């Protein structure tokens, strides 16, 4: 029996570039390059490892995003995923997390799945809640924020390292999993992988295909509203001294002046 | 006055500071009603009352400890139904954010995570958020349903405001999916005796420049002289020099202390994402060009193996 894995990957602005908000207070995508969210590379990696252990598995990578988001799918395909689904629709512009979870859940159901794997958080919105929302919508167990994950037969197991404790978790498939950056280094695509990715199928879906009304998503359908976005004023230049034997004492003097000592 | 439901983070009845911050913020938009779950839930009442809770709803059942997240969502929903609050506030811990999101979906409401401030507005509470590694400050609202908002630790100074804090047992019926994810075992983290990283007033962090697990003693000694928490960069954590639970940054903890001291840390964007909002920032780095120096109030260009121990000695001397 084949294990159907769907990996959710997000196309995000490069964090090392200058990220801005556009006039409508959504993400300005024109000013900065996009890429596959680095934290979703860990999700793709774990999918590949789980598939490698299974008798027969198929990995679909799924993204909701604009035209360019295909780049994120290509990267995941070049790492070794089998096929891709791209949900793209002009009406999706400005969708919040509740709306995004609706679109992803419908696309996952349409694709068919035994296991959904997501990253721990996107590197732009960084909410870290989408996997839990998917589990709620799909009505399946959430096994989230795992630093270690394995699938055996119909069961997924994993370790969740929380603030106060480390937990061993277990659930039956189908389930939604999310993995952290502690789950294991993600592989680099090989040249062969990059060439093969060009031939792998990328299916495009729009809102109509998913039977979602335009007013359920987008800025208009959003359940949250951003009223203003202001660039944080640059910090005023601090004092910088070179250590010539008294650096620690000078620092202590500064800290005492600020009443920290 | 409208009631505001506050989800309580506690360990066996000891209320954690972020919850007291939530109560302080909740009073700006209404009357706080607190919900405490699990072992020791009722023991939280005194601390919650002292900080403004008019009512404390409690529930305990094995489900809260034996299964992940969903039983707590069921309880929060039961509290929501009982109170009909004007807003629901939770701390921005990984687990509480997941609870918040699932509740928001169930009650047909929008959600805002990681707020750093909250005030009453004409059309509901207005949340301040930091975006893009704290390079932007945004103001947002929930425009549909009852606002569900999670708030980062250290966002507001705790103010006491005694209230009745009447304890009431909450009846929770668990949903079909509550037992979906079993917690097979739980290994509590050993306490270091140092303050909690996200709650500490001072954080002392070390990075790749610390060059070895054995050298982290230098960082710890400085931290202990200041009564601070210890943090680490991902490079130091990945090298196995310090536990992941102490990582500061995008995929670690986000901290906002009064004072942040970075030693041997270059200041990559992902590290800055977790500490940029610290009130005072100090760095020790031997590279004068390190990006961390763009953020500092005071920086020392020098070898941390000289500067940090000297600083520690000086702190001890001054404190007598
Ligand atoms: C700065 C900023 C702040 C925001 N704040 C809010 C807010 O407070 N409330 C709100 O409702 N919305 C908010 N949004 C919008 C929200 O980020 C998007 O709707 C988003 O797609 C889902 O949230 P996230 O990116 O934070 O995902 P997270 O919950 O952090 O993502 C976790 C995982 O879900 C998967 N995933 C997320 N998005 C996609 C996607 N589009 N396609 C495929 N997989 C995906 C990935 O595997 C990812 O690793 C914000 C956006 C930005 C840029
Ligand atoms: C998706 C993603 C998420 C990430 N999340 C995080 C995160 O949460 N937290 C995080 O920290 N990083 C994170 N990173 C990694 C981040 O990009 C950097 O690689 C990391 O922060 C570097 O750590 P560092 O500053 O300790 O090391 P380096 O960048 O190597 O810097 C070491 C510094 O120490 C200085 N130094 C060396 N020796 C001495 C000495 N004797 N005395 C004084 N100074 C000395 C050097 O001059 C240098 O500036 C993430 C990366 C990615 C891609």
């Amino acid at each position: 029996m084949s294990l159907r894995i769907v990996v959710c990957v997000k196309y995000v602005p490069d964090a090392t570039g200058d990220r801005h908000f556009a006039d409508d207070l959504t993400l300005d995508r024109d000013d900065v390059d996009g890429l596959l969210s680095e934290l979703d590379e860990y999700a793709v990696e774990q999918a590949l490892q789980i598939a490698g252990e299974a008798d027969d598995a198929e990995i679909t990578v799924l993204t909701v995003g604009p035209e360019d988001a295909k780049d994120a799918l290509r990267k995941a395909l070049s790492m070794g995923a089998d096929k891709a689904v791209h949900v793209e629709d002009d009406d999706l512009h400005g969708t919040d997390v509740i709306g995004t979870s609706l679109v992803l859940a419908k696309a996952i159901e349409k694709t068919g799945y035994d296991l959904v794997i997501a990253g721990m958080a996107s590197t732009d919105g960084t909410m870290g809640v989408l996997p839990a929302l998917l589990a709620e919508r799909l009505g399946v167990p959430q096994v989230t924020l795992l630093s270690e994950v394995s699938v055996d037969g119909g069961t997924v197991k994993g370790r969740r390292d929380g603030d106060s404790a480390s937990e061993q978790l277990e659930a039956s498939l189908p389930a939604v999993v999310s993995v952290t950056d502690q789950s294991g280094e993600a592989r680099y695509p090989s040249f062969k992988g990059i060439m093969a990715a060009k031939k792998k199928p990328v299916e495009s879906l729009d809102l109509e295909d998913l039977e979602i009304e335009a007013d359920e998503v987008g800025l208009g359908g959003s359940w949250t509203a951003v009223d203003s976005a202001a660039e944080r004023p640059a910090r005023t230049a601090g004092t910088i001294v070179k250590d010539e034997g008294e650096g620690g004492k000078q620092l202590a003097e500064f800290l005492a002046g600020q009443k920290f000592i | 006055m409208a009631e505001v439901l506050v989800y309580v983070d506690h360990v066996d009845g000891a209320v954690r500071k972020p919850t007291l911050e939530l109560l302080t913020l909740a009073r700006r938009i209404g009357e706080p009603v607190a919900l405490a779950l699990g072992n020791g839930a009722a023991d939280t009442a005194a601390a919650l009352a002292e900080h403004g809770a008019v009512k404390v709803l409690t529930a305990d059942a094995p489900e809260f400890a034996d299964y992940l997240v969903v039983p707590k969502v069921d309880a929060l929903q039961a509290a929501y139904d009982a109170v009909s609050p004007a807003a629901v506030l939770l701390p921005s811990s990984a687990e509480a954010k997941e609870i918040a999101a699932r509740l928001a979906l169930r009650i047909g409401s929008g959600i805002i995570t990681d707020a750093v401030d909250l005030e009453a507005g004409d059309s509901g509470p207005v949340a301040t958020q930091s975006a893009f590694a704290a390079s932007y400050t945004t103001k947002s609202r929930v425009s549909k349903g009852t606002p569900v908002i999670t708030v980062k630790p250290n966002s507001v100074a705790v103010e006491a405001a005694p209230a009745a804090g009447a304890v009431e047992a909450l009846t929770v019926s668990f949903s079909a999916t509550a037992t979906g994810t079993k917690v097979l075992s739980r290994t509590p983290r050993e306490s270091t005796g140092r303050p909690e990283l996200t709650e500490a007033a001072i954080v002392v962090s070390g990075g790749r420049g610390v060059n070895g697990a054995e050298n982290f003693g230098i960082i710890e000694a400085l931290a202990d002289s200041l009564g601070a928490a210890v943090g680490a960069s991902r490079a130091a954590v990945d090298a196995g020099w310090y536990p992941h639970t102490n990582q500061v940054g995008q995929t670690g903890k986000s901290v906002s202390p009064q004072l942040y001291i970075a030693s041997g840390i270059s200041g990559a964007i992902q590290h800055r994402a977790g500490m940029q909002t610290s009130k005072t920032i100090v760095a020790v780095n031997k590279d004068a060009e390190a990006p961390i120096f763009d953020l500092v109030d005071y920086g020392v260009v020098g070898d941390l193996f000289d500067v940090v121990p000297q600083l520690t000695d000086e702190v001890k001397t001054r404190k007598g």
Side-chain angles (χ1 to χ4, degrees), chain A residues 17-22 25 28 31 228-235, chain B residues 129-139 272 276:
Chain A
D18 246 337
R19 294 176 293 179
H20 292 288
F21 284 97
L25 299 178
D28 182 349
D31 248 21
S228 70
E231 229 164 328
R232 204 181 155 83
R235 291 184 83 101
Chain B
Q129 285 168 291
S130 291
F132 304 144
S135 59
Y136 270 89
T137 303
T138 61
K139 294 217 186 264
R272 276 156 44 192
Q276 188 143 237

Side-chain angles (χ1 to χ4, degrees), chain A residues 225-246:
Chain A
V226 184
D227 289 334
S228 70
E231 229 164 328
R232 204 181 155 83
R235 291 184 83 101
T236 43
T239 309
I240 296 186
V241 300
K242 197 170 170 336
D243 177 37
E244 274 154 358
E246 298 283 291

Side-chain angles (χ1 to χ4, degrees), chain A residues 138-152:
Chain A
L138 296 169
V140 303
Q142 73 165 77
V143 197
T144 47
L145 297 170
L146 303 182
S147 43
E148 219 172 72
V149 58
S150 64
V151 172
D152 191 6

Side-chain angles (χ1 to χ4, degrees), chain A residues 13 15-16 19-21 27-28 38-39 42 96-98 101 120 122-129 131-137 139-145 157 160-172 178 180-182 185 215-216 220-233 235-256 258 260-261, chain B residues 11 16 65 68-70 73 93-95 97-98 101-102 104-114 126 130-144 177 180-189 196 201-202 226 234 237-238 244-245 247 250-251 253 258-259 261 269-270 276-284 293-303 306-307 310-311 314-315 318-319:
Chain A
T16 58
R19 294 176 293 179
H20 292 288
F21 284 97
L27 177 66
D28 182 349
E38 283 160 306
L39 293 170
Y42 295 91
D96 67 358
V97 75
I98 299 278
S101 70
M120 64 185 282
S122 71
T123 56
D124 60 347
T126 67
M127 296 181 74
V129 300
L133 286 170
L134 284 180
E136 179 75 31
R137 286 208 187 260
V140 303
Q142 73 165 77
V143 197
T144 47
L145 297 170
K157 286 191 184 191
R160 173 171 165 124
D161 294 322
D163 280 350
S164 55
S166 181
E167 297 165 328
Q168 291 290 341
L169 305 176
E170 180 185 280
S172 300
S178 74
T180 74
D181 59 336
Q182 301 289 302
E185 202 66 33
D215 63 6
E216 292 180 80
S222 192
W223 302 26
T224 52
V226 184
D227 289 334
S228 70
E231 229 164 328
R232 204 181 155 83
R235 291 184 83 101
T236 43
T239 309
I240 296 186
V241 300
K242 197 170 170 336
D243 177 37
E244 274 154 358
E246 298 283 291
K249 288 188 181 153
Q250 285 167 286
L251 188 44
E253 188 60 39
F254 169 78
L255 295 180
Q258 303 283 314
F260 288 116
I261 309 177
Chain B
V11 182
R16 294 187 48 191
L68 194 71
V69 173
V70 186
V73 182
S93 67
E95 186 189 40
K97 282 205 278 190
E98 294 186 326
R102 296 184 74 137
L105 187 57
R106 287 188 186 180
I107 64 175
S109 298
I111 172 168
I112 289 173
T113 57
D114 298 321
V126 177
S130 291
F132 304 144
S135 59
Y136 270 89
T137 303
T138 61
K139 294 217 186 264
S140 309
R141 279 176 296 119
V142 168
S143 48
K144 258 190 215 167
T177 54
T181 310
K182 268 195 226 115
V183 179
L184 299 178
S185 69
R186 178 176 288 119
T187 316
R189 213 160 290 297
E196 188 72 33
I202 303 180
L226 290 163
R234 174 158 156 193
V237 167
D238 282 355
H244 176 62
T245 38
Q247 182 177 315
Q250 186 185 35
T251 55
K253 300 271 161 57
Q258 296 300 319
L259 172 64
I261 305 181
I269 182 81
Q270 296 89 354
Q276 188 143 237
T277 54
S278 304
K279 311 295 174 293
T280 299
I281 298 175
V282 167
V284 180
F293 284 127
D294 296 342
L295 297 180
V296 298
D297 297 285
Y298 198 91
V300 180
V301 179
D303 193 320
D306 299 327
V307 178
Q310 190 180 67
L311 172 60
E314 191 65 21
V315 172
R318 285 177 186 248
K319 284 194 164 176

Side-chain angles (χ1 to χ4, degrees), chain A residues 188-206:
Chain A
Y188 287 105
S190 64
F191 179 71
K192 206 171 127 229
I194 294 168
M195 295 315 288
K198 297 193 168 147
K199 299 201 194 74
K200 290 178 178 172
V202 178
E203 183 187 1
S204 280
L205 299 175
D206 62 14

Side-chain angles (χ1 to χ4, degrees), chain A residues 21-48:
Chain A
F21 284 97
D23 292 341
D24 65 355
L25 299 178
T26 63
L27 177 66
D28 182 349
R29 292 186 181 264
D30 296 334
D31 248 21
V32 53
D33 289 340
L35 42 73
L36 167 63
S37 173
E38 283 160 306
L39 293 170
D40 294 346
E41 291 181 18
Y42 295 91
V44 177
E45 176 63 37
Q46 289 309 313
L48 291 167

